[in-house]
């Protein structure tokens, strides 16, 4: 049974479990024959990343985006389901994930969590549960 046509995984490529999260979400996307998207939001305030606030250098921002894209592309190679597109954003994590979910018409958004992010995750989970027009799955 095909429940989802489009799956978005919001993943932090620096997280030690990022590869496993990409694989898990890829299995889910594959099972549903869904378009599979990866997204990463560089944490920040509003629409401006911390990197821009601290350094005020476009070159540093571009270098960081290239690094993230390379990391995410490498992670995508481990997915059992081909990744249709990789998206990068800066700013408020919950707002940007919501925006990206709408953009790719996600029917399932998957986010990862760890024990060290419990307070942050509760805020993110709550915001996404309130704002998303689709299902939300939290994985480890």
């Amino acid at each position: 049974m095909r429940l989802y046509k489009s799956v978005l995984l919001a993943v932090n490529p620096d997280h030690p479990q990022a590869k496993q999260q990409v694989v898990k979400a890829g299995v889910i996307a594959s099972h549903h024959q869904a378009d599979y998207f990866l997204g990463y939001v560089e944490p920040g305030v509003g629409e401006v990343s911390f990197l821009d606030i601290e350094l005020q250098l476009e070159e540093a921002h571009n270098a960081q985006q290239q690094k993230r894209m390379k990391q995410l592309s490498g992670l995508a190679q481990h997915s059992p389901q081909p990744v249709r597109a990789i998206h990068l954003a800066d700013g408020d994590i919950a707002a940007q994930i919501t925006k990206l979910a709408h953009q790719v018409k996600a029917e399932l958004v998957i986010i990862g969590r760890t024990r060290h992010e419990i307070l942050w995750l509760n805020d993110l989970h709550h915001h996404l549960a309130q704002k998303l027009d689709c299902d939300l799955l939290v994985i480890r």
Side-chain angles (χ1 to χ4, degrees):
M1 177 185 284
R2 184 177 178 182
L3 295 176
Y4 304 112
K5 294 178 186 173
S6 181
V7 173
L8 168 64
L9 171 65
V11 63
N12 179 349
D14 289 334
H15 191 282
Q17 300 297 318
K19 180 178 170 184
Q20 290 84 346
Q21 292 171 356
V22 169
V23 171
K24 286 179 183 180
V27 168
I28 293 168
S30 178
H31 177 74
H32 294 284
Q33 301 171 1
D35 290 333
Y36 182 32
F37 299 92
L38 294 182
Y40 172 70
V41 179
E42 194 72 46
V45 177
E47 297 297 317
V48 181
S49 74
F50 287 139
L51 186 61
D52 290 338
I53 292 170
E54 292 173 4
L55 300 178
Q56 296 291 317
L57 298 174
E58 186 174 341
E59 297 83 24
H61 180 74
N62 291 340
Q64 183 71 357
Q65 280 191 324
Q66 289 176 351
K67 173 188 170 191
R68 294 296 187 202
M69 188 58 75
K70 184 177 179 179
Q71 288 175 306
L72 291 166
S73 295
L75 287 171
Q77 299 299 316
H78 299 285
S79 173
Q81 176 76 350
V83 173
R84 182 170 178 152
I86 297 171
H87 298 270
L88 297 174
D90 293 336
D92 179 86
I93 295 171
Q96 291 296 334
I97 291 172
T98 302
K99 182 178 174 181
L100 179 56
H102 289 293
Q103 181 183 348
V104 302
K105 297 177 175 62
E107 294 180 347
L108 174 64
V109 172
I110 301 172
I111 59 173
R113 81 167 186 95
T114 66
R115 287 175 275 217
H116 303 292
E117 297 169 338
I118 290 175
L119 293 177
W120 171 82
L121 175 68
N122 287 338
D123 292 340
L124 178 62
H125 178 269
H126 177 73
H127 177 84
L128 292 175
Q130 297 298 316
K131 299 293 182 183
L132 289 173
D133 295 329
C134 64
D135 291 340
L136 175 65
L137 176 64
V138 180
I139 61 175
R140 289 184 189 250

